[in-house]
Amino acid sequence: MKLLTHVLITFALGSLIAMTISRSVLVMNSVFIISFLINYLIDLLGHRGGRRTSLTHELFNNLVISLTTGLLIHSLLNLPGPLTVALTTSLIASSTHLLLDSLSGGIFVYSSNGLSRLTLSSRSYDDYLLNTLVITTSVVLLVIILYNLL
């Protein structure tokens, strides 16, 4: 999936959870910053020669990088909101990134045969229909959240 797609779905789902913890636009800003930086870092570190690598596109590695990044960002930038918002957003970023990438090219999982690729669909990362569907869902969810926040 495209970076924008990853960021928007993480931001939308993270905001949904964050609003149940702390109803604040400032907390939504924190969710956006964490969503963007985690997904950017996953894609920055996890691609070599235009292909995904297991460094950030394997379940355990992705989870560790997401949690570490989210906690560091929350602490270093002194973001508003409780630590649970950073943890939740980090977990959402990890899971949505891997889910979406498993739909578009695959991710890596350890099995009895070693490292193998898990692919749930054969769509490409820039598939217009799939990216548009996820982005539209994210925007609708964000509109609902903002409407209920005001």
Side-chain angles (χ1 to χ4, degrees), residues 93-126:
S94 176
S95 58
T96 57
H97 199 104
L98 289 177
L99 175 65
L100 293 178
D101 280 355
S102 69
L103 295 172
S104 60
I107 60 169
F108 297 93
V109 293
Y110 282 103
S111 66
S112 58
N113 298 332
L115 195 61
S116 57
R117 189 181 278 285
L118 171 68
T119 304
L120 299 178
S121 171
S122 60
R123 304 241 185 215
S124 78
Y125 85 97
D126 63 348

Side-chain angles (χ1 to χ4, degrees), residues 67-91:
L67 286 171
T68 304
T69 303
L71 293 174
L72 280 173
I73 292 167
H74 186 269
S75 299
L76 293 175
L77 298 180
N78 198 23
L79 295 176
L83 189 60
T84 54
V85 170
L87 286 171
T88 303
T89 304
S90 299
L91 291 172

Side-chain angles (χ1 to χ4, degrees), residues 28-102:
M28 282 185 69
N29 291 338
S30 298
V31 171
F32 179 77
I33 292 168
I34 293 169
S35 299
F36 175 76
L37 291 175
I38 288 174
N39 282 295
Y40 180 76
L41 187 64
I42 288 170
D43 278 345
L44 179 70
L45 297 175
H47 290 90
R48 187 167 292 123
R51 299 186 59 102
R52 291 183 187 123
T53 68
S54 60
L55 177 63
T56 62
H57 289 85
E58 184 275 325
L59 181 64
F60 182 73
N61 292 346
N62 184 283
L63 185 60
V64 168
I65 288 171
S66 295
L67 286 171
T68 304
T69 303
L71 293 174
L72 280 173
I73 292 167
H74 186 269
S75 299
L76 293 175
L77 298 180
N78 198 23
L79 295 176
L83 189 60
T84 54
V85 170
L87 286 171
T88 303
T89 304
S90 299
L91 291 172
I92 290 169
S94 176
S95 58
T96 57
H97 199 104
L98 289 177
L99 175 65
L100 293 178
D101 280 355
S102 69

Side-chain angles (χ1 to χ4, degrees), residues 2 40 44 60 80 119 124 128 130-131 134 142-144 146:
K2 293 195 170 222
Y40 180 76
L44 179 70
F60 182 73
T119 304
S124 78
Y128 178 79
L130 192 55
N131 278 278
V134 175
L142 285 167
V143 168
I144 292 168
L146 288 173

